[in-house]
Amino acid sequence: MRALMLDFQPRHRSTPLGWSLLAGGVVLALTCVVIQQHLSVEAEQQQGHLQTTQRVLTGDTGTKVSLTPAETREQAQNLAEMRKVSQQLRRPWERLFATLEAMPRENIALLTLTPDARKGQVRISAEARDLEAMLDFHQRLEATDELSDVSLLSHEIVANVPEQPVRFNLSATWEIGDANP
């Protein structure tokens, strides 16, 4: 009978494949650590740029830097322009258009409508078939709830057209009533 050979701790034989897998794993782990550190640094830089941009956009520079008079004027002009646009957008446009569309205009052609939100006025350029139609349109505008203080700015009879229509410009105060701000 053969002798039993009990080897409870067999020898591990290292093969080149095992060593190469171990080396590859170590290289992969080190590469991941280096990439993670690089991404952390880059994320911190991006956060710093974001904070700087936010401060610039909100006007908070963190330090009390005084603006030159020219920069102050430019900033004031930009703010005034933004307020003007905001006022224009808050106007009750639908009511004004509905009022103008509801008026009988068989002898009138509206050409332009130019609002001035700062002054609360609107300028209307139109063309009438004759002077009587122009005056009637003027009176009907004055009678509306939306417009008041309607005044004739200019008018001219177009002589080179056979019908000789009247082109005219009106100015009116645009009442906003209970419009939402």
Side-chain angles (χ1 to χ4, degrees):
M1 168 167 189
R2 274 177 81 206
L4 282 175
M5 207 160 135
L6 297 172
D7 189 10
F8 292 104
Q9 292 185 345
R11 278 185 173 169
H12 292 287
R13 295 186 188 174
S14 33
T15 63
L17 177 63
W19 284 110
S20 62
L21 285 175
L22 178 65
V26 169
V27 167
L28 183 63
L30 288 175
T31 303
C32 288
V33 167
V34 168
I35 289 173
Q36 190 273 333
Q37 287 178 346
H38 176 71
L39 290 176
S40 294
V41 168
E42 197 152 317
E44 288 176 12
Q45 288 175 346
Q46 290 295 328
Q47 186 67 24
H49 290 306
L50 179 63
Q51 288 174 351
T52 302
T53 304
Q54 266 182 326
R55 275 190 240 118
V56 168
L57 289 175
T58 60
D60 178 25
T61 58
T63 60
K64 299 293 182 190
V65 176
S66 61
L67 298 175
T68 65
E71 291 173 334
T72 304
R73 280 191 303 273
E74 181 182 355
Q75 193 174 35
Q77 288 173 345
N78 289 341
L79 184 59
E81 186 67 27
M82 285 188 290
R83 283 187 181 143
K84 181 179 176 184
V85 169
S86 176
Q87 286 176 342
Q88 292 262 354
L89 293 175
R90 288 191 309 230
R91 285 286 184 176
W93 290 96
E94 295 81 22
R95 289 192 340 216
L96 177 65
F97 290 143
T99 299
L100 291 174
E101 288 174 0
M103 294 178 68
R105 291 180 287 128
E106 60 276 349
N107 294 325
I108 299 290
L110 294 178
L111 302 177
T112 62
L113 185 67
T114 310
D116 186 351
R118 185 175 45 86
K119 294 180 182 177
Q121 293 184 339
V122 64
R123 183 177 174 146
I124 300 170
S125 296
E127 188 172 284
R129 190 166 295 207
D130 53 24
L131 285 172
E132 185 178 322
M134 177 190 74
L135 294 174
D136 184 47
F137 182 71
H138 182 281
Q139 289 173 347
R140 282 184 276 152
L141 282 178
E142 186 71 45
T144 64
D145 293 334
E146 293 290 319
L147 300 173
S148 63
D149 299 329
V150 179
S151 57
L152 181 64
L153 299 175
S154 65
H155 72 286
E156 69 173 309
I157 297 174
V158 184
N160 59 355
V161 177
E163 293 85 22
Q164 294 188 339
V166 179
R167 286 194 185 140
F168 61 97
N169 293 308
L170 297 172
S171 175
T173 302
W174 185 5
E175 301 292 335
I176 60 172
D178 60 347
N180 295 332

